[in-house]
Every structure is written in structure tokens, then in C-alpha cells.
Amino acid sequence: MRIMRKNYLFGSGGRWQRLTPLFLLLPGVLLYFLIALGPSIATSVYSFTDASGLKGAPVNWIGFDNYKEFLFQGLASRDNIAATLRTLQFSALVTVIQFTLGLIIAIILNQNLRGRTFFRTLFFIPVILGVVIQGLMWRLFLLPRGGPMATMFGWLGLQSEFLGGQPSEAFMWVIIVQIWANVGITMVIFLSGMQTISEELYEAARIDGASNWQLFRNVTWPQLTPAINTNFLLNIVGSLQAWQLFYVLIGWKPGSQVLGYLVFAEGFGGTDNPAFRQGFAAAASIVLFFMVLIIGAAANKVVSWREQRYM
Amino acid sequence: MTTKLNSFIGVFTGGDSASARSRRLKVVSYLILGSLAVFYIWPLIMLISTSLKPLTEYLKDPAGLPTAPTLANFAEAWELANFPQYLLNSAFYTVTATAIFIVSSLFVAFPIARDYFKGSNIILTLYVIALFLPPALIPQFQLILNLGLYNTRPGYILLFLINPIGMIIIVNYIKSIPRELDEAAAVDGASYLRYVLRIIFPLIRPAIATVTVLHAIGIWNEVILPTIYLTNADLYPITRGLIVFQGVYGNNWPGIAAAVLMLMLPLLILFMFLQRYIISGLTAGAVKG
């Protein structure tokens, strides 16, 4: 059997020599199967077991029990469903605000303004800092007593307990930090999309007497389709799965958690119950996976409709 | 260029002469930029000013600027938090895992890009699919645990040896290198290994730089995986060390601020020099659709 195609030109020597690329490829691919693809698929298997995080502990097949517990078992499942709905709420708010804000900033910075490089860098920097720096920076900034934001709120006659307040209040602040941290990516994707739009299109439209709004509506918006679609999908999928800022900003706080955090906390003992409930966590992560899949597919429908219309 | 895309805000500024309108547009633009910038600059200033205050002064007036700036917090955080060890760990994990990942990916990406054997496209598809599969978190933990690699350096590094998006970027870049080059090298009698390492590797440097930087930043910033996999404080990377430090010295914000700045510095330096690669990596494929 021939493994290598004819277009492989190296290794005129023996048979083994011809297989060099295959041997060199194997470590990378095996690692990938072992660490990423295999475990990813195995998640669904684990979701039907009572696996714990203990080495050598027996793992039993328990059918749909984890899913039943997640959905129907008294108070706990009410919390789980609340966390699921909260994930949707988080994702919707983050997507809408981050998308809009990123677009507005990009439109402004795409003009020939003095200082545009400075502002672009400024808004982008949090992206590379990671959740620990982002989170601790904002915990300092949002200290309820005498912190900078509290002082500013004082001037305006407002009051907030910020991250230490009621779960719903803390939740809103996490949303703000999440957007603050990631709007830079949305912005650079829009900016790079805008740079591909030909100036001639604007000139032509302007000669026809188009207003600024018409320019935006009929030139920018359709021409920006690839960047709009990317940002739309990235924001939705990213925010459904985001939870690390909850971990750094407020920790495990019942009544403010999203599904991603629930998976981590159940699986690795972050809840009030220190047991590692990894089978249950796997089931919760499958629930999250289907949420991402369904919403992502719906978003993708919107995206391909836009492409048909504009491209 | 000036008027390109100022359309959106322009809508709110009404008629008048073109120059008056464009001036007003600029004012509105700067107002929006300025009010957003406050929330990017102020937290940073707070961080710096807090790190320069003695604790007693901080407790009295958390938001004000320091009256007698001191570097004592940096020295304190450096020693108390076991910082040198954590930094060294972070650097070790980042460099080792990134290097292994890049070299192994190069040899996966090249034959796939050249379609050297049957099924090479399937492999690429499997990399793309991974982006849509459930998280690997739980089975990955079971795997590391049962391999006896829990709470060890090799086990922790193992987690960072893959990056599907990075792989796809490298494959696409190799496709832009003309095949004639392969033919010429083969005719000259170059070996496969030598060709990939000595000719291809330097040619795809922009893609390698992008993927390296993004991968390395991801490892450097990771905080969840060390929480899961490392219980021995001697093995902590700096992010985990910082979270633990924050838990122990909860009210010592000057110390925490100093520590955060020390963690931030390498990232900012990296960003200054490699901004181009970072941004091109994050926007890769986004524009062409």
C-alpha cells in the first residue's frame, strides 16, 4: 500500500525514508488526540457516570441520573436552571453591548484622528492581560468603601456595594468588567474589516448625495459583513463559555453564577460541598455544550442569511 | 480618509457647512473616546498609586494619590509571595510548552498543507471540529490523574501542547509558500527534515511569531488549570501565586497592587514589541470571511 502521494518529492531513498513526514507528524497528532480530541469526546461518556476526582475510585455507570439531578431534583436543580438562564442573560447582555460598543469605537478610530493609535492600544491592552490582572485591577477599583468608583458614585449621589453586593448587583459588575476586558478584540476585528472597504464606494455614494446615515447603512454595513459575522459569532460563543472573571472577581457566590463556573465548581470542589462530582460536572458541561451548539447554529443561520443578502 | 466611516456619528450632527460639521464630529468623537478612556486609564493609575503607598496610608485614604511614594510594597510582595519562584515556574511552563507545541505543529502542519498523504485533510478537519466539541476539562483531569502526572510539572505542561487555532493558522500560511520551492530543494537533494527546519521555518516566521505569542500569552495568563492541577505551592505559576497571595493578604492592597504590576510588566513589554503579531493573530481569517 502506498501511503505517501506522488507529490512528496523528498526522500528518494528507501521505503522508510519516504515515510519520514509521517513519523514526524505522529507526535503532534497523537498529543492532540490524547489531550484534546479524546477527552472532548469522552466528556459525554463521563456524564453518564458517578466519577469522582479520586485516583482509583470506582466509576459506575448511572445512566441519566446526572441529567435528572441537574434538571429535576428539588432546590439544587432550581439553582442549576437559574444558572443556565443567567448564562443566557450574561451572554445576551455581553454580546449586544460589546458588539455595539466595539463598532462605535472602531468607526471613531477609523477616522483620521490625532491619537488614534494611542486609543486603539489603550482599549486593546486588557485583552492580553488575562483574567487575574483584569480581575484584581477591578477589585481594587471597585472597593466599596473609599475606592475610586465608590468615590465617583458618591459625587453623583449614587450608591453600590459593587462586587460585594447582592448577587444580581455583583453579576452586573462582572458583565461590565467582561466587556471592558474584551471589547478590544471586537474593535480590532471591526477596524481590520473597515480597512478593506474601498474608499471609492464612499466617493461614489457621496456624489449621489448620500447622507452620512445612508453611507453607513448602504456602504459600511454591507461591506463590513465578514467582520460583523465574525464578531457576532465570537461574542455569542465566547460569552456563553466565559466564567473566569466570576472566579477572580467574586468567587463562588450562590445566586450569581453561570454554567461554566458551575462545571468547574462541581468538578473540582469549588462549591460549599468540597466533593469532586466529576460525573455531574461532565453532565452540566454537556448541557452547556448543547446550549452553545443550538444558539451558535441559530446565530450561524443569521450570518449566512446576511451573507446571501450582501455578498 | 477623514470622512471615511465617520458617517455613523455624523448622523447626529445635522447640516451646516462641511467644515463645521467635521469639527463637531471630531468633538463628539473625542468626547466618546475620552469618557471610555477614563475607565482604562484610571484603574491603571489606581493600581500604580496604590502600589506606592504604605498600608497605613492606604487604609486611611484608598483612592487618593500617595503622599510619600515608596517601593517597599514591591520588595514585600517579592519576598512574601515567593515571587521569584513563581515567575521562574511561569517562564519555564510558558517556554517549554510553547517550544514543544511549535516544533510538533510545524511537522503536523507541513504535510497537511502539502497534502502529502491520504487522509491529511481529515486530520485538518479534526482540528477544526475540536473548536465545536464539548470542553475536555473533566476527562482530561482523569487522564492526567491516572497517568500519575497530577501535581507535577510534566503533567501541567502536557495540557498546553496543543492549540487547534494556532495549527490552522500555520497550515494556511504554509499553503501560501510556492510548491516550486519544494521541488527545487528536492532536486538539490535536501532532506525532508532539513528542508522543513532550515527553509520553511524561516519563511513562515510571521505565522510562527503570531502563534507563538498568542500561545505563550495564554499559558502565562492561565489561572484555572493551575488551580485544578497544582496543589504544591512550589509548582505554582505566578497567576495562581497571586490569587493565593490575594487570599492570604486580603486587605493588603498595596502589596497586591505591587504584585499585579510585576505580573503585568512582562506582558506589556511583550505587547510593545509584538503588537503587530498579536493583532494579526486575533483578526486572522476574520476579514476575509
Side-chain angles (χ1 to χ4, degrees):
Chain A
M1 195 186 81
R2 285 185 83 102
I3 298 175
M4 303 302 292
R5 290 217 163 106
K6 285 210 182 89
N7 65 0
Y8 175 62
L9 306 165
F10 300 92
S12 47
R15 199 178 150 187
W16 290 110
Q17 205 186 334
R18 262 192 86 73
L19 292 179
T20 315
L22 203 60
F23 291 124
L24 290 170
L25 164 129
L26 273 181
V29 170
L30 287 181
L31 269 177
Y32 174 67
F33 280 32
L34 182 76
I35 309 163
L37 198 60
S40 219
I41 294 165
T43 299
S44 56
V45 179
Y46 271 102
S47 74
F48 295 109
T49 69
D50 64 352
S52 66
L54 299 172
K55 197 175 175 178
V59 175
N60 301 308
W61 188 265
I62 57 170
F64 280 92
D65 283 7
N66 288 323
Y67 292 95
K68 280 185 205 145
E69 185 189 337
F70 184 92
L71 292 170
F72 307 117
Q73 220 166 71
L75 277 177
S77 75
R78 219 170 55 194
D79 288 346
N80 299 335
I81 288 165
T84 310
L85 295 176
R86 205 174 294 114
T87 309
L88 291 173
Q89 190 189 359
F90 180 79
S91 174
L93 285 169
V94 168
T95 302
V96 169
I97 300 173
Q98 188 174 315
F99 185 94
T100 315
L101 196 61
L103 182 61
I104 292 174
I105 297 174
I107 287 170
I108 293 175
L109 290 182
N110 199 44
Q111 303 172 89
N112 203 2
L113 285 179
R114 197 182 290 255
R116 53 189 277 200
T117 316
F118 166 77
F119 284 113
R120 201 186 55 198
T121 308
L122 186 68
F123 297 142
F124 185 77
I125 276 182
V127 172
I128 60 153
L129 294 181
V131 288
V132 173
I133 298 176
Q134 293 161 359
L136 290 178
M137 216 165 153
W138 276 87
R139 281 179 66 174
L140 177 66
F141 196 65
L142 293 177
L143 279 185
R145 314 254 172 276
M149 194 63 116
T151 311
M152 190 155 65
F153 264 46
W155 298 337
L156 300 170
L158 297 170
Q159 245 195 338
S160 176
E161 286 296 310
F162 302 103
L163 300 166
Q166 291 299 309
S168 60
E169 192 178 5
F171 178 69
M172 291 313 292
W173 284 103
V174 178
I175 290 178
I176 291 171
V177 179
Q178 173 80 22
I179 294 166
W180 173 88
N182 295 302
V183 76
I185 302 180
T186 309
M187 171 195 75
V188 294
I189 290 176
F190 275 134
L191 275 173
S192 63
M194 286 173 185
Q195 269 142 29
T196 64
I197 304 178
S198 153
E199 181 62 18
E200 285 161 29
L201 289 172
Y202 289 98
E203 295 298 336
R206 230 173 267 125
I207 290 167
D208 291 345
S211 70
N212 280 333
W213 169 249
Q214 285 170 325
L215 284 180
F216 175 76
R217 184 69 192 80
N218 299 320
V219 181
T220 312
W221 188 251
Q223 291 290 316
L224 205 54
T225 296
I228 288 172
N229 292 351
T230 306
N231 272 331
F232 185 56
L233 289 176
L234 276 183
N235 284 353
I236 288 182
V237 174
S239 58
L240 281 172
Q241 294 172 332
W243 61 273
Q244 288 86 342
L245 272 172
F246 285 90
Y247 172 77
V248 181
L249 285 170
I250 53 182
W252 181 256
K253 184 171 185 163
S256 66
Q257 290 325 331
V258 288
L259 211 43
Y261 199 168
L262 189 108
V263 171
F264 166 78
E266 289 285 355
F268 302 100
T271 58
D272 305 329
N273 174 5
F276 284 20
R277 304 187 60 226
Q278 303 210 325
F280 183 74
S285 73
I286 293 289
V287 173
L288 177 59
F289 162 69
F290 275 109
M291 243 166 84
V292 175
L293 196 69
I294 293 166
I295 296 171
N300 205 25
K301 260 273 188 291
V302 175
V303 158
S304 47
W305 169 79
R306 270 186 54 86
E307 271 169 6
Q308 270 176 13
R309 189 165 161 205
Y310 289 127
M311 291 178 81
Chain B
M1 192 63 196
T2 328
T3 41
K4 183 177 176 187
L5 285 177
N6 54 26
S7 33
F8 185 57
I9 339 126
V11 143
F12 304 113
T13 56
D16 295 336
S17 73
S19 73
R21 204 180 336 158
S22 110
R23 208 173 320 125
R24 213 159 8 175
L25 201 66
K26 278 208 164 137
V27 173
V28 175
S29 298
Y30 279 121
L31 271 177
I32 297 175
L33 290 179
S35 49
L36 286 171
V38 168
F39 294 97
Y40 286 77
I41 298 172
W42 198 2
L44 189 64
I45 292 176
M46 262 314 291
L47 194 68
I48 296 168
S49 98
T50 305
S51 75
L52 298 173
K53 277 182 192 175
L55 183 57
T56 47
E57 188 190 337
Y58 173 77
L59 292 176
K60 258 182 270 164
D61 175 21
L65 293 174
T67 48
T70 161
L71 289 175
N73 296 314
F74 287 87
E76 194 192 331
W78 185 261
E79 278 161 24
L80 275 183
N82 201 6
F83 251 64
Q85 173 77 52
Y86 296 155
L87 273 175
L88 209 63
N89 287 341
S90 275
F92 176 70
Y93 298 140
T94 307
V95 171
T96 316
T98 307
I100 298 175
F101 162 68
I102 289 290
V103 174
S104 63
S105 303
L106 182 65
F107 287 108
V108 176
F110 188 75
I112 290 179
R114 289 296 190 248
D115 197 19
Y116 271 164
F117 39 82
K118 285 170 209 137
S120 54
N121 272 322
I122 298 173
I123 297 180
L124 187 63
T125 312
L126 288 178
Y127 277 90
V128 178
I129 282 177
L131 303 174
F132 303 100
L133 286 178
L137 202 63
I138 303 291
Q140 220 175 37
F141 178 81
Q142 299 276 346
L143 176 78
I144 299 283
L145 191 71
N146 288 307
L147 287 176
L149 293 173
Y150 177 71
N151 201 15
T152 65
R153 286 182 209 275
Y156 187 66
I157 289 173
L158 195 59
L159 301 165
F160 297 104
L161 297 184
I162 37 135
N163 181 344
I165 296 178
M167 175 69 74
I168 294 163
I169 292 177
I170 298 177
V171 169
N172 284 333
Y173 203 90
I174 292 177
K175 282 182 178 167
S176 73
I177 308 274
R179 280 165 188 264
E180 286 77 27
L181 201 64
D182 303 8
E183 287 159 21
V187 169
D188 284 351
S191 75
Y192 176 74
L193 187 68
R194 203 179 148 80
Y195 178 66
V196 174
L197 284 180
R198 304 291 290 271
I199 314 277
I200 289 296
F201 189 69
L203 280 176
I204 60 167
R205 235 175 356 210
I208 296 287
T210 297
V211 176
T212 303
V213 172
L214 290 181
H215 196 67
I217 288 178
I219 302 175
W220 182 269
N221 284 336
E222 180 60 51
V223 65
I224 303 305
L225 293 179
T227 310
I228 294 176
Y229 287 98
L230 301 174
T231 52
N232 179 352
D234 291 338
L235 303 181
Y236 285 170
I238 184 91
T239 43
R240 175 77 185 138
L242 198 53
I243 289 287
V244 172
F245 179 70
Q246 195 275 328
V248 177
Y249 302 92
N251 278 324
N252 184 0
W253 277 102
I256 296 164
V260 170
L261 281 170
M262 288 193 279
L263 173 63
M264 210 157 129
L265 199 64
L267 286 166
L268 289 181
I269 292 171
L270 197 74
F271 181 69
M272 269 191 325
F273 290 107
L274 300 171
Q275 186 175 6
R276 190 160 55 100
Y277 296 116
I278 295 172
I279 289 183
S280 81
L282 288 172
T283 55
V287 185
K288 276 174 261 148

